[in-house]
Amino acid sequence: MEGDLAHIGAGLAAIGSGAAAIGVGNVAGNFLSGALRNPSAAAGQTATLFIGIAFAEALGIFAFLVSLLLMFAV
Amino acid sequence: MEGDLAHIGAGLAAIGSGAAAIGVGNVAGNFLSGALRNPSAAAGQTATLFIGIAFAEALGIFAFLVSLLLMFAV
Amino acid sequence: MEGDLAHIGAGLAAIGSGAAAIGVGNVAGNFLSGALRNPSAAAGQTATLFIGIAFAEALGIFAFLVSLLLMFAV
């Protein structure tokens, strides 16, 4: 058995990256659901859509960053 | 017992890639749900659909990238 | 087999960071869902949106902090 234990950690961190996509999907999905019911209000909530995506995406990118650090920096 | 611990990590990272599909499915599913209720508004929300899919898909591709890196680059 | 068990812990902590994004997505998604149904009330709830995002995001950042501490400080 060879290899570095940090590589197991990198794989585990990538699960976090994928899990964050559930949050992103929830934001965009609810926006689409509401925008198709009331299209005239959609333009006014576009900023909120991107704010919600940004905050959820950031956590996924943090997990991806941990993956990269575990593979190449630790 | 032989093998490389990085291969366990690659398999774990693929879980993250699959989890991201839940988010992508949520985006596309809500779009379809709304578009079938109000088909005339669907064309105006196509851009939002692809934006939502792109952000959620990106996190899954990051996890897939971690898998590939663990198998071939580390 | 080489490496530090703390690096497996760092990967596990990054799962927590990604899981927090589900919470953030739930907050922003439900805000969008309601704001598109009743747009005139959305402006009055923006503060609550950011409070909800901040509390959920904080937990994800705590998990990310644990990841960083396990990699570089322990």
Side-chain angles (χ1 to χ4, degrees), chain A residues 15-69:
Chain A
I15 297 178
S17 179
I22 302 175
V24 174
N26 210 355
V27 175
N30 275 301
F31 177 86
L32 284 167
S33 172
L36 288 167
R37 184 175 300 153
N38 185 6
S40 62
Q45 296 302 323
T46 309
T48 315
L49 166 70
F50 284 108
I51 288 168
I53 285 180
F55 276 102
E57 187 95 10
L59 291 170
I61 290 173
F62 289 168
F64 179 55
L65 179 63
V66 170
S67 257
L68 292 179
L69 286 171

Side-chain angles (χ1 to χ4, degrees), chain A residues 1-3 5 7-8 11-12 14-15 17-18 20-22 25-26 28-29 31-32 35-37 39 42 49-50 53 57 64 67 71, chain B residues 1 3-6 9 12-13 16 19-20 23 26-27 30-31 34-35 37-38 41-42 45 48 51 55-56 59 62-63 66 70 74:
Chain A
M1 189 162 61
E2 57 184 10
L5 286 173
H7 295 160
I8 295 181
L12 288 165
I15 297 178
S17 179
I22 302 175
N26 210 355
F31 177 86
L32 284 167
L36 288 167
R37 184 175 300 153
L49 166 70
F50 284 108
I53 285 180
E57 187 95 10
F64 179 55
S67 257
M71 282 190 289
Chain B
M1 188 161 61
D4 191 341
L5 288 174
L12 289 165
N26 209 357
V27 175
N30 275 302
F31 177 84
R37 185 175 301 152
N38 185 6
Q45 296 304 322
T48 315
I51 288 168
F55 276 102
L59 291 170
F62 289 167
V66 170
L70 282 170
V74 174

Side-chain angles (χ1 to χ4, degrees), chain B residues 37-69:
Chain B
R37 185 175 301 152
N38 185 6
S40 63
Q45 296 304 322
T46 310
T48 315
L49 167 69
F50 284 110
I51 288 168
I53 285 180
F55 276 102
E57 187 91 11
L59 291 170
I61 290 173
F62 289 167
F64 179 55
L65 179 63
V66 170
S67 257
L68 291 178
L69 287 171

